[in-house]
Amino acid sequence: MHPSRGEVVNRGGRSGTRPIIARAMLRARTFLPRQDLGRVHRGEPMIRLRLCTLVCSLALLNCGGPDESEKTTSAPDESTAETKAAPADAGPPVRGDWLVIHALADPENLNPLTSNDAGASAVLGWIFPTLVRIDQNTLTLEPLLASALPDVSGNHLTYTYRLREDVSFSDGTPLTAEDLVFTLKAIRHPIVNAAPQRNYYDSVADAAVVDPHTVRISLGEVYFLNDWMLGGIAPIPRAYYDPENLLDGISVAELNHWDELEPAKKERAQRFAKAFNEGFNRRPLGPGALVLEDPARDYVTGEKIELRHRAGYFAPGQPLLGDPWVDRVVYRVINDFDAALAALKAGKIDFMGLRPVQYLKQTGDPRFGERIVKHVDRAGSYTYIGWNQKRAIFSDKRLRQALSHLVDKRNVCDKLLLGLADPVESPIYPGRPEFNSGLAPWAFDPARAQALLAEAGWSDSNGDGILDKEVDGERVPLRFEIVSNSGNDDRRNLGLVVVDEFKRAGIDASFRAIDWSILLEKVKSFDYDAVILGWTNSGTIPPDLFQIWHSSQAVAGGSNHISFKNDEVDGLLEAYRVEFDAAERKRLYDRVQEILYDEQPYTWVYAPKSLTAYDRRFQGVTWYPTGATQEPEWWVPVASQKYR
């Protein structure tokens, strides 16, 4: 999963989570809350490494579900006109023009393994295709950089991938088996900053080159998602990312046993990790059809990221294999939704996610509809308030339960989000069979909240109107700050509403919006009290909650940033990963959801609709049953092309 900033995240997309998974698991496009960049869902032709990514802004996620169109009809009047089809087909697709996409913020970085937000995932999806892709119609896996689906041993402990022999990186270097093995070394390297991805590859025991285009991956234990996870690997070039060949002679197996690595090898591996973590944040190089040709010119912080089509891609004219019809894809960074909408109306951007008020109230002008298409779908993401359990006051679940009883989710969805969101109680996508439909809506119940607070020992002992309690020998007020990312008005409004309700209950809470990059650093280092964020999730492939909820992930830089630890949940998550029986997996996850529901480590608040708008000059815009679109399929007739 990827954190979400609250923008438009395309589920399907480019390569979903960088290893498919991820994006498949979203695609995502993802930044910890992936910035606005993140919100655009590309189809998911490729999968990404991460199942979950933080979403910076909620708005643009196009993760639609099967009910989307149904929901659209229930939306306010404008919905019918707004969702009418794009212009009729104007002949066969042709190459040319640019696609300019709104990004709410800069991505965390553009290192293909260490970034973990939806915005980065969106950009990198164009540059780093994966071994296999997900067919958005059938949800089956199809080869992409691999020449065929892998050979899998009967015990599911060996996967053999054969790479296409006509693939090269954008510097002209051929893709070989050595690059795939190197990629696995980098992922499994314990001090490479790739913790969110690494957990999906815990079962990888070793990887070996069989011949120049064949790799055999050995697993220490089975993992039912390996078809997606291993297939979701996006190979990176060894010669570029490790020019000194520092990992030469060091195997994946040795990196898995870091403490036993001989000193000379460890010294080289440490030098590699330092260079990899610090040296490639703005200059990605992969085998994709688009490139960041000149980072100094094409990546301008706070302004744009411009990707250009390159010659020599192995699948020319095949958008489902990652070759877009447009010559350039530009992410235009505008840290304000109102300004972004003005840019869309002025023709300066082509594709953006809308806030509910924009979708319903600010885009009804007939002139808007003449040039812009609006689309609503179910988003593969949810917004939550996370309670940092490294803060002593939040270690008591009665307090967390009380706080959740003070959040009126229905009112938030109806009033703040104008009916374009649904309350949520679980981290699992509601359309998935693993979703526990037996969880009752968590009631907005201030009286019950007061009772829980009293039970937990909170009272106004000094009559100052603020509850207090003795904690670790000291009387402390019930006071905390909620933070979220600036530029996301929906999250800011949510923060202000809940703070107001908390104050009515005698809780001295406050809300503060801060820059996305600063927020990410705070989250990674547990340096906050409570946070409003979002995660992307997906109905495309089975969920795996390990990344977010296993106690092993409650480390600096890990995705369990609230430090939730529960032995029973750990055991269930581990058992789920090695279970091939779908019914048993559902039983395990039903129990996980019951525990999370009772513990309320998050207050799950809402799943926003994916509200998008795009320029009508684009043809070939397909919204798949998953709610995703695949931008590589978008094209513009020659007569309508805007950029040459």
Side-chain angles (χ1 to χ4, degrees):
M1 291 182 177
H2 301 268
S4 143
R5 288 182 289 194
E7 329 137 92
V8 177
V9 171
N10 287 340
R11 268 192 208 158
R14 174 124 311 290
S15 5
T17 339
R18 245 142 309 138
I20 283 186
I21 318 173
R23 251 147 218 236
M25 297 195 156
L26 144 69
R27 163 203 160 340
R29 288 158 187 288
T30 47
F31 303 2
L32 198 77
R34 205 159 269 238
Q35 316 153 13
D36 278 358
L37 290 185
R39 281 269 193 118
V40 175
H41 292 185
R42 280 169 200 171
E44 212 157 339
M46 317 163 202
I47 310 166
R48 292 200 179 183
L49 269 182
R50 309 146 201 166
L51 287 181
C52 313
T53 47
L54 285 180
V55 180
C56 181
S57 45
L58 311 175
L60 289 186
L61 299 181
N62 302 332
C63 311
D67 297 326
E68 269 315 325
S69 53
E70 183 182 324
K71 297 295 183 183
T72 301
T73 56
S74 63
D77 316 73
E78 304 168 15
S79 60
T80 302
E82 296 166 343
T83 56
K84 62 185 176 184
D89 184 83
V94 294
R95 185 171 299 286
D97 212 344
W98 302 1
L99 171 61
V100 183
I101 301 171
H102 171 228
L104 190 59
D106 293 292
E108 178 185 16
N109 69 63
L110 292 182
N111 183 309
L113 299 185
T114 67
S115 63
N116 187 38
D117 67 342
S121 184
V123 175
L124 295 172
W126 297 100
I127 301 172
F128 295 94
T130 48
L131 297 176
V132 304
R133 67 182 185 89
I134 294 177
D135 184 299
Q136 287 297 305
N137 286 311
T138 63
L139 300 186
T140 56
L141 295 177
E142 301 289 342
L144 182 47
L145 296 184
S147 61
L149 295 180
D151 292 332
V152 183
S153 64
N155 60 6
H156 300 279
L157 290 176
T158 303
Y159 280 65
T160 302
Y161 285 93
R162 292 175 177 78
L163 302 174
R164 295 179 62 110
E165 298 184 13
D166 54 355
V167 178
S168 63
F169 295 101
S170 59
D171 63 355
T173 306
L175 167 67
T176 68
E178 182 189 359
D179 297 303
L180 179 53
V181 171
F182 166 73
T183 304
L184 277 165
K185 290 181 184 179
I187 293 171
R188 293 299 305 156
H189 194 311
I191 56 175
V192 164
N193 296 332
Q197 288 93 323
R198 191 152 46 242
N199 81 89
Y200 295 108
Y201 300 92
D202 283 349
S203 64
V204 175
D206 207 353
V209 172
V210 176
D211 64 41
H213 291 92
T214 304
V215 172
R216 179 180 300 117
I217 300 173
S218 303
L219 306 174
E221 61 181 359
V222 298
Y223 177 31
F224 83 99
L225 280 175
N226 266 333
D227 287 4
W228 290 273
M229 293 304 176
L230 296 177
I233 294 174
I236 62 177
R238 195 284 304 162
Y240 179 75
Y241 284 98
D242 185 13
E244 296 183 63
N245 210 3
L246 294 170
L247 294 186
D248 182 41
I250 304 174
S251 68
V252 171
E254 289 175 301
L255 291 166
N256 284 337
H257 298 86
W258 180 254
D259 292 340
E260 301 169 15
L261 191 62
E262 62 182 67
K265 289 184 175 181
K266 181 174 287 189
E267 186 275 334
R268 282 194 288 122
Q270 289 171 327
R271 286 169 53 202
F272 164 77
K274 178 176 175 58
F276 186 81
N277 289 337
E278 299 175 358
F280 298 96
N281 291 338
R282 295 179 66 91
R283 50 189 186 101
L285 189 150
L290 298 187
V291 298
L292 187 67
E293 188 176 85
D294 180 349
R297 176 195 63 197
D298 297 333
Y299 184 0
V300 182
T301 300
E303 184 178 326
K304 69 170 184 177
I305 298 175
E306 190 165 318
L307 306 178
R308 299 164 188 252
H309 190 265
R310 72 175 176 100
Y313 188 60
F314 77 93
Q318 298 186 62
L320 294 182
L321 294 185
D323 190 40
W325 290 113
V326 296
D327 287 331
R328 295 187 196 181
V329 172
V330 181
Y331 289 91
R332 186 80 66 197
V333 180
I334 303 176
N335 191 19
D336 179 274
F337 276 110
D338 292 334
L341 180 58
L344 177 70
K345 291 179 176 179
K348 295 180 179 178
I349 59 176
D350 300 316
F351 187 22
M352 68 171 287
L354 299 174
R355 296 183 57 232
V357 67
Q358 293 175 323
Y359 185 89
L360 294 176
K361 306 294 185 184
Q362 299 173 8
T363 51
D365 188 316
R367 289 176 297 177
F368 183 89
E370 290 173 1
R371 197 176 58 77
I372 305 295
V373 180
K374 290 195 287 184
H375 180 80
V376 61
D377 228 312
R378 178 184 295 170
S381 68
Y382 62 84
T383 295
Y384 63 90
I385 307 172
W387 312 109
N388 182 3
Q389 294 181 45
K390 283 189 175 293
R391 299 288 193 264
I393 59 172
F394 294 125
S395 63
D396 188 335
K397 77 174 181 182
R398 294 169 297 185
L399 172 60
R400 303 192 300 266
Q401 291 172 335
L403 294 170
S404 292
H405 278 304
L406 292 171
V407 177
D408 189 347
K409 303 178 187 181
R410 185 72 268 170
N411 189 56
V412 167
C413 292
D414 291 346
K415 301 293 176 56
L416 292 185
L417 299 168
L418 305 178
L420 291 170
D422 296 309
V424 290
E425 309 295 346
S426 162
I428 293 183
Y429 187 72
R432 288 291 318 173
E434 297 85 357
F435 175 72
N436 187 339
S437 58
L439 301 178
W442 192 270
F444 172 63
D445 189 344
R448 177 58 181 153
Q450 290 289 358
L452 284 165
L453 289 168
E455 185 180 323
W458 294 98
S459 65
D460 184 7
S461 65
N462 57 10
D464 66 354
I466 299 173
L467 300 177
D468 54 71
K469 173 184 176 181
E470 187 169 305
V471 177
D472 296 332
E474 180 183 359
R475 196 120 201 124
V476 299
L478 184 44
R479 175 179 295 139
F480 57 83
E481 179 187 64
I482 304 173
V483 294
S484 192
N485 53 303
S486 58
N488 188 319
D489 290 342
D490 294 334
R491 289 182 182 169
R492 181 198 63 190
N493 293 339
L494 171 62
L496 295 177
V497 165
V498 299
V499 161
D500 183 64
E501 193 63 43
F502 291 163
K503 287 182 180 299
R504 295 173 194 274
I507 300 169
D508 187 15
S510 60
F511 173 80
R512 182 164 60 108
I514 56 179
D515 181 79
W516 178 243
S517 60
I518 297 173
L519 177 64
L520 290 184
E521 288 305 314
K522 284 184 169 292
V523 168
K524 287 179 178 179
S525 58
F526 306 102
D527 182 21
Y528 68 95
D529 300 327
V531 64
I532 297 176
L533 273 178
W535 283 109
T536 59
N537 56 13
S538 168
T540 305
I541 66 178
D544 183 353
L545 301 179
F546 190 98
Q547 174 189 338
I548 298 176
W549 298 108
H550 195 276
S551 60
S552 66
Q553 304 303 299
V555 296
S559 295
N560 184 356
H561 61 81
I562 60 164
S563 198
F564 174 76
K565 298 180 180 179
N566 181 291
D567 290 342
E568 184 180 359
V569 168
D570 282 355
L572 292 165
L573 296 177
E574 292 162 9
Y576 173 90
R577 284 188 147 194
V578 299
E579 180 58 64
F580 282 78
D581 182 82
E584 176 61 11
R585 287 203 303 270
K586 174 170 174 51
R587 188 190 69 76
L588 295 169
Y589 264 25
D590 277 354
R591 178 59 185 151
V592 169
Q593 291 168 86
E594 289 171 358
I595 296 171
L596 294 178
Y597 180 83
D598 178 63
E599 291 283 338
Q600 292 290 298
Y602 289 174
T603 295
W604 283 271
V605 186
Y606 62 83
K609 297 297 182 189
S610 172
L611 310 172
T612 54
Y614 58 94
D615 194 295
R616 283 188 182 277
R617 76 179 189 282
F618 288 95
Q619 307 290 295
V621 180
T622 299
W623 297 95
Y624 290 91
T626 55
T629 185
Q630 300 186 136
E631 296 100 321
E633 295 184 289
W634 294 26
W635 62 279
V636 182
V638 172
S640 300
Q641 290 184 2
K642 186 173 181 179
Y643 303 97
R644 306 279 180 169

